[in-house]
Amino acid sequence: MSQAPTLPRGPARNRFLVVLGDILARPSGAIGLALVSAHLILAIIGPAIVPYDFTEMNAAAMLAKPSSAHWLGNDHLGRDQLSRVLLGGREAILVTSIATPLAVLWGGLVGVFFGLAGGRLDEVLMRIVDAFLSLPWILKMLVLIVTFGTGTEVLIPTLGFFYGIPVIRIARAATHDVVARDFVQAARARGHGRLTIIWRELLPNVRDALFVEGAMRWSWMLLAFSSLSFLGFGVSPPTPDWGLMIADARGFMSFSPMGVLAPMVCLSSLIIGINLTADALAKALGLDRARKAPV
Amino acid sequence: MLSMLLRRLGLGAITVWLVSLIIFAGVEMLPGDACTAFLEREAKGQLLENCRIELNLNRPAAARYLDWAGHALQGDLGVSANGQRPIAELVGFRLRNTVLLASGAMLFGIPLAIFLGIIAALRRDKPLDIAISTVAISAMTIPEFVSATLFILIFSVWLGWVPGIVLVSADAPISAFFPVIFLPIGVLTLVMTAHILRTVRSSVIETLASDYAQMATLKGVPFWRIVFRHVLPNALLPTINVVALTVAWLLGGVVVIETVFNYPGLGRMMIDSISDRDLPVTQAIALIIASVYVGVNLLADILTMLANPRLRTLHLRKG
């Protein structure tokens, strides 16, 4: 886990600005960060700027074409499409932006701890992690959702739990790179306890890898969340959600393609934005994830 | 070599065993059981009791796990709770259909990915590479249901080339799936190609920069010969593992695509079985998918070992 040579190891705040500057200096990073910021701002101010009530139905305007009153037309219940699209990301962003830090936190701590401990216990844990990873994500999610229901209070811990499991692997691998280095040996020789070593020597060094991993997890979580909504296991109507909107509008595609196109563009731009930012962040931190496998 | 293979096999077997435990525990967690789901409102008193005795649900969980795992080892996956038909029979056709879909995507996707990956690497940072890489990243990151819906909108609603929905029953002969199967295959190919070509590209770039490739250039070896003789054999090695991981993804990601296209495969059956609480079927499908995942990864490891002399003798050098 080598640091990029150009980055000075200054005080934390300074380094944050350096990394941010590095991300913005790359065209892909600047575009990505702009997309993500726009979506975050929209999610916060959305309710204040939407032209119509997102639940207001109008039988006369069912599947109406875009007009000056309704810029993106109306959906199959005559609701204003623009208002629903503008609000459609709030639930997804809310759930995933709480679940992502959760996943990185618990996966990262467990990974670092077992990476340091090593031995039999570590072997057993990795087998369990492998077993979890060999099940498709959708199966794991669905079993929990069918058990506990589909509310936000179920989705956040469920996503946080399952998406933390691959983080264990990343954190463990990053820890293995650091553990053999001199300063960890020195800390051991000084007689520091395990927790002190984790807190003072390991975490600062695996932190970068966890940040990048967290950014990637966020985009995968959004993907999972919207797929669940699309399949009918996520957000329940009438809450506007892009995945659910695409599922609803799918049957009317030939009359009103805008119904699927608008939420698709929104969802895709957010996910692509996160990915571009994550890539730029990885490069700015001097971590190469070009060779990393999907999953 | 042999001991390494055996070790891998052993680890794979342990993983599958753990998966079976997780699946069983997960299904145990679900409220109600196959009987309450099957009998619905009538699920009370003697009727429920009889059903539980019939399906052996009144025995302790550990005994039922051993029973289930033992039968699964012999290929007997039990009986579906709803239809009372053997699961092996139900799953058989679905598995065939999903394999048909996946192998179609691999047939197009793998050669296309290697071809485009090499082109992108050789034209590194030129407009062509940027175009290929941008499309690949978009295809990888956009949710499958979005690309699938977009495909339906473009190719079946606007262009009218193929129907957007598969209306074939699960046990229809393979020929009945043409030409409707081309659209789901197209979506799968798109995503799969994107994943693989990214690896091929970075791997070719890395190998081109290696000492022996530089050496060959300095010796005056023609460019195409360097690419095909010196670079490709080495550059394609990491591809094997990515193909394995992608195939594994294919089996999970196919769930969403099958639902969008109404394709009668294993993935849609899994969603249906979870919604219907048909626990024996859910367990069977999960076990099949996990076994395929472990198996494909094992196969990739072995192939990489066979193809790479350095890995073949790794244990000798380590001592």
Side-chain angles (χ1 to χ4, degrees), chain A residues 157-189:
Chain A
T158 307
L159 283 165
F161 173 66
F162 284 123
Y163 281 76
I165 292 175
V167 179
I168 297 179
R169 267 201 161 175
I170 306 286
R172 184 176 165 272
T175 307
H176 278 179
D177 285 345
V178 182
V179 144
R181 303 253 287 273
D182 291 342
F183 55 84
V184 179
Q185 304 290 344
R188 276 204 179 125

Side-chain angles (χ1 to χ4, degrees), chain A residues 134 146-147 250 275 291 293-294, chain B residues 30 141 206 245 260 277 293:
Chain A
S134 64
V146 167
T147 312
R250 227 156 49 92
N275 271 280
R291 292 283 293 274
Chain B
L30 288 175
T141 48
E206 212 168 88
L245 280 177
V260 176
R277 311 281 164 103
Y293 179 93

Side-chain angles (χ1 to χ4, degrees), chain A residues 4-27:
Chain A
T6 50
L7 283 180
R9 207 72 167 99
R13 188 174 157 68
N14 220 339
R15 189 158 178 271
F16 170 76
L17 290 178
V18 172
V19 170
L20 188 67
D22 197 318
I23 291 177
L24 288 175
R26 296 163 202 277

Side-chain angles (χ1 to χ4, degrees), chain B:
Chain B
M1 180 73 191
L2 191 67
S3 67
M4 251 173 112
L5 276 183
L6 286 178
R7 196 180 129 75
R8 278 298 159 99
L9 267 175
L11 286 181
I14 291 175
T15 308
V16 172
W17 170 65
L18 282 174
V19 165
S20 76
L21 271 181
I22 293 174
I23 296 167
F24 195 82
V27 166
E28 279 296 300
M29 261 169 47
L30 288 175
D33 54 33
C35 281
T36 49
F38 174 56
L39 296 169
E40 289 176 9
R41 273 195 209 144
E42 264 99 277
K44 50 185 180 249
Q46 197 56 41
L47 213 53
L48 186 62
E49 217 39 53
N50 286 344
C51 170
R52 284 195 170 142
I53 289 168
E54 196 184 320
L55 292 178
N56 282 326
L57 287 177
N58 50 352
R59 294 169 54 211
R64 275 184 290 128
Y65 170 74
L66 284 179
D67 215 34
W68 171 67
H71 281 106
L73 269 180
Q74 298 161 27
D76 172 13
L77 293 168
V79 175
S80 145
N82 296 349
Q84 300 295 324
R85 284 172 66 193
I87 293 172
E89 193 181 292
L90 284 170
V91 166
F93 281 112
R94 298 295 189 128
L95 184 62
R96 181 204 68 178
N97 297 345
T98 295
V99 167
L100 187 69
L101 198 60
S103 46
M106 282 163 66
L107 196 68
F108 293 112
I110 295 176
L112 190 67
I114 293 176
F115 176 72
L116 290 176
I118 294 170
I119 302 254
L122 295 182
R123 290 267 172 277
R124 187 184 180 184
D125 295 333
K126 301 257 167 57
L128 187 62
D129 170 37
I130 294 173
I132 292 178
S133 298
T134 310
V135 173
I137 294 177
S138 316
M140 264 166 69
T141 48
I142 294 174
E144 293 101 24
F145 71 88
V146 170
S147 29
T149 311
L150 198 62
F151 263 55
I152 296 181
L153 183 65
I154 294 174
F155 293 108
S156 79
V157 175
W158 285 344
L159 296 175
W161 288 353
V162 266
I165 297 281
V166 181
L167 294 173
V168 183
S169 67
D171 50 2
I174 290 181
S175 57
F177 285 97
F178 294 91
V180 282
I181 198 176
F182 283 122
L183 225 41
I185 285 186
V187 180
L188 276 176
T189 308
L190 181 77
V191 187
M192 195 175 168
T193 307
H195 277 298
I196 302 174
L197 99 80
R198 292 256 289 175
T199 308
V200 174
R201 177 183 175 273
S202 59
S203 171
V204 168
I205 288 175
E206 212 168 88
T207 324
L208 270 175
S210 67
D211 290 342
Y212 58 86
Q214 306 272 345
M215 173 71 184
T217 317
L218 292 175
K219 271 199 312 190
V221 179
F223 184 67
W224 60 266
R225 199 177 148 79
I226 298 177
V227 171
F228 284 98
R229 281 294 308 245
H230 298 256
V231 172
L232 276 193
N234 282 300
L236 290 186
L237 264 180
T239 312
I240 300 178
N241 269 306
V242 177
V243 169
L245 280 177
T246 315
V247 169
W249 163 83
L250 214 66
L251 283 160
V254 94
V255 172
V256 177
I257 293 177
E258 283 180 358
T259 311
V260 176
F261 288 102
N262 194 39
Y263 186 85
L266 208 54
R268 227 187 79 216
M269 192 180 187
M270 186 180 92
I271 297 227
D272 292 345
S273 73
I274 293 178
S275 327
D276 297 351
R277 311 281 164 103
D278 195 337
L279 307 185
V281 174
T282 311
Q283 284 177 329
I285 295 175
L287 197 62
I288 291 173
I289 292 181
S291 311
V292 171
Y293 179 93
V294 172
V296 169
N297 274 306
L298 189 70
L299 193 69
D301 282 346
I302 293 171
L303 275 180
T304 316
M305 249 193 276
L306 289 178
N308 190 344
R310 272 167 301 183
L311 283 178
R312 216 148 48 202
T313 56
L314 196 62
H315 63 293
L316 295 178
R317 273 185 282 151
K318 268 190 182 163

